[in-house]
Amino acid sequence: MNMPAEKKPMRYAHLEGQTDVCFNETGSCLVTCGSDGDIRIWENIDDDDPKSINVGEKAYSFALMNGKVVTASSNNAIQMHTFPNGDPDGILTRFTTNANHVVFNSNGTKIAAGSGDFLVKVMQVEDSSEQKTLRGHSAPVLSVAFDPKDEYLASAGCDGTVRIWNIEEQVCEVNLSLLPKCSDVISAKSICRLSWQPKNGKLLAVPVDKTIQFYERDAWMKSFTLSDDFITQPLNVVTWSPCGKFIVGGSIDGRIVAWNVLSKVCLERVQHDKGFTICCLAWHPKLAQVAYTDNEGNLGVLENVCQGSVVSAGTKVSSAAKKDYDELFDGDDDDEDFLNGDMIDHEASVVNEDDDDNVTPISGHAKKRAIFDDDDNLLDVPSLKANDIEKPDGEEDDLSTKAQAIPYTSKPYSGPMPTPPQKAFQAGSTPSHLSHRFMMWNSVGVIRCYNDEQDNAIDIEFHDTSIHHAMHLTNTLNHAIADLSQEAVLLACEGTEELASKLQCLHFSSWDNNKEWMVDMPKGEDIQAVCLGQGWVACATNAFLVRIFTVGGAQKEIFSLLGPVVCMAGHGEQLLIVYHRGTGFDGDQCLGVQLLEIGKRKRQVLHGDPLPMSRKCFLSWLGFSAEGSPCYVDSEGVVRLLNRSLGYTWTPVCLTREHCKGKSDHYWVVGVHENPQQLRCIPCKGSRFPPTLPRPAMAILPFKLPYCQITTEKGQMEEQYWRSHIFTNHVDYLAKNGYECDENVKTEAEKEQQELLMKMFALSCKLEREFRCMELAELMTQNVMNLAIKYASRSKRLILAQRLSEMALEKAAELASAEQQEDEGEEEEDFRSRLNAGYSRTATEWGRPSVKTAAHEQDVEMNCDDEESEVVQQPETPNLNKKTATNPFSRSSTPAEQPISGTIVSSNQGRVNPFKVSASQKSPALAGSSSRILDNMSKLAKKTPPAASKSDSLVIKPLVPRAKPKQGQTALFSNIQPKCTAKKTQEKENPTPPPPTPVVEKTESKKSKTGFQLWLEENRQSILSETSELDESEIIKEGMSRFRALTNEERMMWTEKAKGDDSADQKKRKREQQENCDSQESPEGDTQDHSSTVKKRKPFDQSTTNKLSAFAFKKD
């Protein structure tokens, strides 16, 4: 029974074109080259950040051995680089056209290359002057292959021949016409990669059409042929396994087939997912793995190749086959067999690590380990344990000794392994080992570094050329770290044995002529990260120090870090530092973050808190949004933003991996914007960073919070609401720190948030989730809550509407309580801000204590069991005042009591619950009445007052000081008893004219004022005499500053003076309220008349409405 090979998902490696692949000698990494001119070193197939070595515009072939990599590049040369550093190590030879294939010999001392000028050259690695040129092909050479014994060299050409050359004598031993002829490599159906049998070179494998033909050494006669019906197109490349017993071939239509050469049995059949041409195949030197590439630049790996052949190799082959082919493999048994030896040991060790039962028993007899390759066969692997050795005289080991030895000899440590710490890097830069790289790419500009044989320079380009023109600098100090702002360019280099690490700043915004300064670090201290802020410069060193300078070069603060720095970023007065808090385990980094404000108000915001990261990820970008919010990106592509409104926590706001087309594709972040919400980045195909040329194209990605059920309407609205909430936090931060900010941004965001809340409320109502509706109402403003009450009532959810009304009252009470608890200075500041906003509070709001209000309410409720408390608020805006002033239902009686703004008081109008069903009223009538009442909501404010008169309740009961919806809040929290309907209808038809103006003036004269208002009236002339040009708001501001300068005794004196004339009026109002409540117990007609009279009473004119609340009490 054959075990099929496991095909790993392919990944992008290079641009479209010829692509080569091989393993290094130890098999620890994969190496590829492609038509983009890069050699890339991969730790494994899942490595997303391979190291790149640029060898030219294009690379057609390469070979690797003994720390040297040779390439056939587009400059017609065979050049050599060191591996893995990639340092140029000379040019071995040149052709007149491109070389198509290059290979090492078995020991890495010679190189052979075939080119398009029909020549094959063989040269020494150490002395390239010793070259041998093999001439004979009459067309471009497709491939070459060294005999393992260095006697022969095989080559295939477009002339249709396969030639065997004697290297020493430089003569062609045999010429085999096996291939179709063609004029060039591009037109060839197959590149015909030849392959000699390893170690002894007894067989030469040649891919001919759909078969592999084997030719015996010396005789050069065809020995046998391997083929399979699975192959439908010509084979392109073949390669032997390191043991020399298996061979694998790849076709031009993406089919890969593996055979056991001894038994001629086909063991593996693998189909390329997209049918691309297989360009190259490479066996792992020790494991059963085969790496392959296609002509689209993709890289793939097959695992467990020919695993089932372990059994086949151990079974007997027919005597005829044994007789014919045994001599071909003489001496193989003594050689290293990666399939029968190393591979089994490797897998056994893997099994041992995961098998808890595979331990040495107490008796001292070790269990044998085995790999089961089919049902009837197994291979025993000998155990290599010291405790298996028998002691002399047959003595048994002591049990305690054996028990102590178990953890060390039979079961190695299998706990979490430490993660190598991430090296320090500069956000917005590409890896420093590249010869052409970005030193910085941010919202200001781009810094490029070129370090090759021709030039070592730095180019600086600004996105906005009005900031500064482009600059070209000679990089004589080998600067490797840079940052860029609208004020300066910052460069840093590591120290050497002769020179100290240096920090260089080009302050191009300076007004003087000396725009450059440089400072040397102390000996042995190297700069690892730098950043620029507004007027300051910072650098972090390997001494765990952060040094801060002014942008002009003066040294400022210096402080220690808690660990090695990873990255730094600056914005305005903010400094963000990420460092290693400790050692991570199982692939996770252990990072900490500090956020400091180093302006005039120096403080530490984040005190080394752990930095959240995705599993097995590292930090890939760190910075600030354009509005100043800290953010970062990890290697998984998760973008996180600091949420200042939630205790400085980090919220994931985007996952760039969702926008990648391939697994190996990434987005390289260069900037974050909160308004508009944009993530600016560069798409990178098959890499984590972009090349410098051609100039990368910018892409803009949207933000999306990872909420659950994001495809549903509910999930989308929740995500939009909280995303809008998070991305407007910067407005409050900027305003708090004195920055200019557009208030319209906050206003529009709040409007959007409240609209989303109302939509979610409506959706919850449809789903009959009334408790959820209450939870959403907690987030609403008072105006939107009024709309929610209206919606609930129209939806005939009266219980929900009632609860919402109670919640609105509670919110108003909490607001009033909070205002009363503020100190006098804060009350005055609030008064000034409200006055500047266009309205002022009544005198009683500042002078009357909340305790008396509560007592008054309790006293009224004792006599009016069926009445409810209501929120009395003064109107705020001219729009509302106009509506109220023109109300045709205003009463002419004089107000008896001035309302208290922002507090809960009891009504003397006999108001009842609008959602309460009385005995004389049927439920349908009540529902209709509620609907008509709620027609007066703020959304219908555009309608005229007569439209509102259709309702049975006309009393306006505003909740909170909100401007626009006041005119529509007539019937939210009040209603009258049905028995009053006839009386009210009569009064509607005969509205009473407003009272005379003197009565209003008398009422206004009874208002009390705050201590500050009295003080300001007496000292206004004094303030104006000093500065006569002040407007009203500036006079109030100056007056408050002077009033606060008074002693506490003087301020209390003014406050008591303001309250002095108020106590008698309050007692009189309380007595009148008591009388009004008692009058409700009188006959029905009087009650109706009194209720209707009070409910229809409105403010009298425009000036009065600006100062009075929505309700007034009759004065005797």
Side-chain angles (χ1 to χ4, degrees), residues 31 41 45 58 81 178 207 243 408 447 539-540 746 753 922 989 993 997 999:
V31 187
I41 306 170
I45 189 67
K58 289 187 177 181
H81 293 76
L178 303 175
C243 66
Y408 300 96
I447 303 178
C539 67
K746 187 74 172 179
Q753 293 166 16
K922 295 181 180 181
E989 297 173 354
T997 304
V999 178

Side-chain angles (χ1 to χ4, degrees), residues 348-349 352-353 355 358-362 364-367 369 382-389 397-414:
S349 63
N352 293 344
E353 292 177 2
D355 188 3
N358 197 8
V359 295
T360 305
I362 298 299
H365 299 288
K367 291 185 179 180
R369 297 164 178 80
S383 176
L384 302 176
K385 293 192 171 96
N387 55 11
D388 284 345
I389 304 174
D397 290 332
D398 183 60
L399 294 180
S400 61
T401 305
K402 298 291 286 185
Q404 294 175 359
I406 290 174
Y408 300 96
T409 58
S410 61
K411 190 174 182 180
Y413 174 72
S414 59

